[in-house]
Amino acid sequence: MRYRNTLLRWALFACVPLAFAACTNEEPTVDAAPQAAPGTKATYIVTFKESALPEELPGELPKALGERSETSLRKAANDSRRQRYTEFFSGVVSERVRTKGAISFKHVYSNALGGFAAELSAEEAQALAADARVASVELDQEVFLEEVKVEAYVSAAAAKAAAADNIPYGITKVGGAVNYTGNAWAWIIDSGIDLDHPDLRVGTSYARTFATGTSNADDANGHGTHVAGTVAARSNGTGVVGVAAGAVVVPVRVFGANGSSSNSIIIAGIDYVRAEAYAGDVANLSLGGPASTTTDNAVKNLAAAGVHVAVAAGNEAQNANNVSPARANATRLYTVSAHDSGDNFARSFSNYGNPPIDWCAPGVSVYSTYKNGGYATLSGTSMATPHVCGILLVNNGVVYSRGNVKQDRDSTPDKMARR
């Protein structure tokens, strides 16, 4: 994954989050970052102090008992809380913003964060930031998946004709595949998953899309399906095998077919996983963009609730401390860099830095499942991260080291992950 800014987008999306200080005794301070031009609006993410919310954000996630239900047992409670939050946010907007026409929320966050995303003018954003109940107001930023090159492709028919499981080198490097028999699920926050791929056990009833212009979580890009296969492709005599072979993978789609998204959309996906996951589940975020404190906080809160989260370091060959959510640090949150089949750091693209990087995993020329029932070879920290996600699933949150990567870009070689 990567982020991109054109001159046109620069007018609306900052490379540094636009934050306002919440205060009542003085004018709110404004960072010297771009904001909505006079007479125009841009999307802002507004978060509230927990003490100001109409009810507490949910605490630690419950443990899943026995067979996982295909129907959400917490949906009514989540819907009720979201409704109360929406009414509260609407009231605050009515109090603070004097504007012609109503402000509609693009997203309401009530699990990983308490807040909303909406189109606002700079003046409206400042008015909200001046409210003592508001923790932050951040200008939204566009995020794009890396335009990865498909190094090799195998159709569904060709893979079936081969009648054999292909064990990618990365799976072997991290200790081999395990036929997963546990009760935890892997939530893939990405471009969706090929819902009927023969090599994947997809939790379709929990599948959701938040990507603009989409109606379901079926993967039209290929990135999310590739990630899912490395985590959990079945050992079924065809295609490939994942680290936690046969585990349930749940698509949470935050990218469209062209790989476009934004922080506000990604946070909506994280908020959904926080609502529906159980303690011990894992989440994979092979994505990232410019520094965003709000995105970092959403991911950290997901991990704090009991979900083991694997995050890609990024593919800009820069310090990962410049990228969100890669730069976030927390218990149960793991940032992953990439190495090749010879255990050499992927110097041409992988981000680096300790902290925040916790583990290094295979990310060069990785073979896995792909859209339309096929299989493909791709490279990136996006491909390294699901190796660690699969390990977290198999080992219930534990990752072991098999030594240090060679030729790291900094003075502290990353540890290579194994199960």
Side-chain angles (χ1 to χ4, degrees):
M1 55 27 175
R2 68 174 177 181
Y3 60 86
R4 303 188 300 199
N5 281 297
T6 65
L7 291 176
L8 178 61
R9 293 186 185 112
W10 188 256
L12 297 180
F13 298 93
C15 272
V16 177
L18 179 57
F20 300 87
C23 56
T24 55
N25 298 324
E26 59 184 0
E27 289 297 311
T29 58
V30 182
D31 286 351
Q35 54 187 295
T40 68
K41 293 190 175 186
T43 300
Y44 289 84
I45 306 167
V46 181
T47 58
F48 287 74
K49 298 172 183 177
E50 288 195 44
S51 60
L53 295 171
E55 64 176 276
E56 290 184 1
L57 289 168
E60 291 186 6
L61 288 163
K63 279 281 188 181
L65 301 175
E67 280 294 313
R68 291 287 286 267
S69 171
E70 282 297 309
T71 302
S72 173
L73 301 178
R74 290 173 283 159
K75 186 176 187 303
N78 290 331
D79 288 348
S80 177
R81 181 172 56 255
R82 184 177 296 273
Q83 180 60 35
R84 284 193 288 275
Y85 276 40
T86 301
E87 292 171 357
F88 170 69
F89 299 151
S90 297
V92 173
V93 169
S94 296
E95 291 175 24
R96 301 298 307 188
V97 177
R98 302 290 182 261
T99 184
K100 294 180 180 179
I103 291 175
S104 60
F105 301 137
K106 289 187 172 183
H107 304 284
V108 171
Y109 313 122
S110 58
N111 292 281
L113 297 168
F116 64 85
E119 284 199 349
L120 305 168
S121 67
E123 293 76 17
E124 290 167 341
Q126 288 175 321
L128 286 170
D131 193 294
R133 294 164 291 187
V134 172
S136 67
V137 179
E138 182 178 296
L139 191 65
D140 199 8
Q141 301 173 90
E142 284 190 309
V143 178
F144 281 80
L145 289 174
E146 182 72 20
E147 295 175 353
V148 293
K149 175 185 178 182
V150 177
E151 300 166 30
Y153 177 78
V154 176
S155 68
K160 185 176 181 180
D165 278 323
N166 182 314
I167 302 177
Y169 85 88
I171 304 301
T172 302
K173 285 281 186 183
V174 300
V178 172
N179 284 319
Y180 185 72
T181 58
N183 201 34
W185 288 357
W187 300 80
I188 311 300
I189 304 174
D190 210 292
S191 65
I193 296 175
D194 184 349
L195 299 179
D196 54 1
H197 198 291
D199 229 357
L200 297 173
R201 185 182 171 198
V202 183
T204 54
S205 66
Y206 276 76
R208 293 291 184 277
T209 184
F210 297 92
T212 303
T214 64
S215 59
N216 60 58
D218 202 17
D219 186 7
N221 178 279
H223 190 274
T225 303
H226 197 277
V227 164
T230 297
V231 175
R234 308 175 201 246
S235 178
N236 58 357
T238 187
V240 297
V241 179
V243 178
V248 172
V249 288
V250 184
V252 180
R253 187 178 183 183
V254 294
F255 290 96
N258 67 349
S260 65
S261 187
S262 69
N263 283 327
S264 65
I265 293 170
I266 290 167
I267 293 168
I270 296 167
D271 197 66
Y272 171 70
V273 175
R274 174 63 187 80
E276 298 293 354
Y278 283 87
D281 281 358
V282 299
N284 192 97
L285 288 93
S286 288
L287 52 83
S292 165
T293 299
T294 311
T295 303
D296 294 341
N297 287 341
V299 173
K300 289 192 286 188
N301 289 344
L302 177 62
V307 176
H308 303 288
V309 183
V311 176
N315 300 332
E316 298 83 40
Q318 66 166 316
N319 194 308
N321 285 289
N322 298 325
V323 181
S324 289
R327 68 176 187 165
N329 283 297
T331 301
R332 288 187 291 270
L333 178 57
Y334 308 90
T335 300
V336 185
S337 61
H339 68 75
D340 64 16
S341 60
D343 296 341
N344 300 299
F345 191 83
R347 295 175 65 88
S348 65
F349 64 81
S350 182
N351 287 353
Y352 54 89
N354 309 92
I357 291 173
D358 300 286
W359 296 102
C360 192
V364 178
S365 299
V366 174
Y367 187 58
S368 185
T369 49
Y370 202 60
K371 62 182 178 180
N372 300 323
Y375 301 82
T377 301
L378 306 176
S379 296
T381 58
S382 287
M383 285 65 251
T385 306
H387 287 89
V388 173
C389 185
I391 293 171
L392 291 167
L393 190 57
V394 168
N395 289 354
N396 192 28
V398 178
V399 182
Y400 297 101
S401 173
R402 61 182 188 87
N404 295 333
V405 70
K406 295 180 287 188
Q407 300 183 26
D408 200 334
R409 292 182 66 96
D410 56 40
S411 58
T412 306
D414 299 339
K415 297 177 294 183
M416 294 184 292
R418 71 167 179 86
R419 66 169 179 80

